[in-house]
Amino acid sequence: MITKARRRRDPEARRREIVEAAAELIVEIGVDALTHRKVAARACVPLGATTQYFDTLDDLRDAALGFLVREIEMRIEATRQAVESVGVTPEALARLITESLADARALETDRAVVTAAVHDPRVRELARRWSDQVVEFIAPVHGPDRARAAAVFIDGILWHAQISDDPLEESLIRDGLAGILTPHTASDSSEPYTAPAASPAPAPTAS
């Protein structure tokens, strides 16, 4: 009874509960499977409440995806602060990425948002914020090109975690980032790859 009374007095609280319920369902079953009925059941509200606060299912989906994106942005900001406190190095980045791979909820949220972005152009701008913010805190130290390459590499690590039973080792992540972020110098022992010269065509024989 107290909960019902609070909801009647606080419509914003009910709206927030509906959005959070929709966000949970998107993570669990995907954005395409979302319905007003499922959201109402998860939020423990009458079915009509979802349409009272959201005119269309698309409006509700957008609000829920926005909620999930804010979760991602909060994690990115925490990562930014953690990295900047110890330095934007391959070692520090690899350690934080490895820690994030152990957070099942975070991985599920990332998957839900990016999967929705593949099929819905409206979500792509939201999904790109993650990579853009990674670039923002790496670029001042390593330059925009290396920062963008590192962000793409990190995206790949996160997707690998979605489909693989075995997480990548921190040392592999560290070495991959070092290869991207560490500039090569003239003293490097490795030589650039050169394609082998084609063998000359055999001379024609007299008939």
Side-chain angles (χ1 to χ4, degrees):
M1 297 299 293
I2 294 176
T3 300
K4 290 181 179 180
R6 177 178 62 79
R7 284 174 170 169
R8 283 196 297 267
R9 291 194 301 268
D10 189 356
E12 185 56 32
R14 171 172 280 194
R15 183 184 188 280
R16 184 169 56 250
E17 290 168 354
I18 292 171
V19 171
E20 291 180 3
E24 289 177 1
L25 286 168
I26 286 175
V27 169
E28 292 174 13
I29 63 177
V31 67
D32 292 335
L34 198 70
T35 66
H36 283 291
R37 188 174 299 279
K38 290 176 182 176
V39 174
R42 174 62 62 91
C44 299
V45 300
L47 179 59
T50 61
T51 55
Q52 176 184 351
Y53 290 94
F54 300 95
D55 292 337
T56 67
L57 186 57
D58 282 342
D59 292 337
L60 178 52
R61 286 171 177 159
D62 290 346
L65 286 166
F67 177 87
L68 294 175
V69 168
R70 286 190 293 275
E71 276 191 15
I72 295 172
E73 290 178 336
M74 289 174 62
R75 292 202 308 275
I76 287 294
E77 181 56 29
T79 301
R80 177 200 300 272
Q81 294 177 12
V83 170
E84 290 179 350
S85 68
V86 296
V88 187
T89 65
E91 293 79 11
L93 290 169
R95 188 176 308 114
L96 289 167
I97 292 168
T98 301
E99 292 173 358
S100 72
L101 294 178
D103 186 340
R105 163 70 183 192
L107 288 176
E108 291 170 352
T109 300
D110 293 339
R111 182 184 66 240
V113 172
V114 175
T115 300
V118 171
H119 302 288
D120 190 341
R122 298 171 304 170
V123 187
R124 287 177 194 163
E125 183 177 355
L126 298 175
R128 282 195 295 263
R129 290 183 188 176
W130 192 95
S131 292
D132 290 343
Q133 291 187 39
V134 170
V135 172
E136 285 178 12
F137 70 75
I138 295 179
V141 178
H142 297 285
D145 291 341
R146 294 183 186 279
R148 177 61 66 184
V152 172
F153 177 67
I154 294 170
D155 283 342
I157 292 170
L158 296 176
W159 275 104
H160 177 274
Q162 305 284 356
I163 60 175
S164 176
D165 295 330
D166 299 319
L168 294 174
E169 294 182 0
E170 182 176 332
S171 59
L172 188 153
I173 298 172
R174 179 201 63 216
D175 292 347
L177 286 169
I180 294 170
L181 297 176
T182 304
H184 296 287
T185 65
S187 61
D188 286 346
S189 59
S190 58
E191 296 293 335
Y193 172 77
T194 303
S199 301
T205 58
S207 55

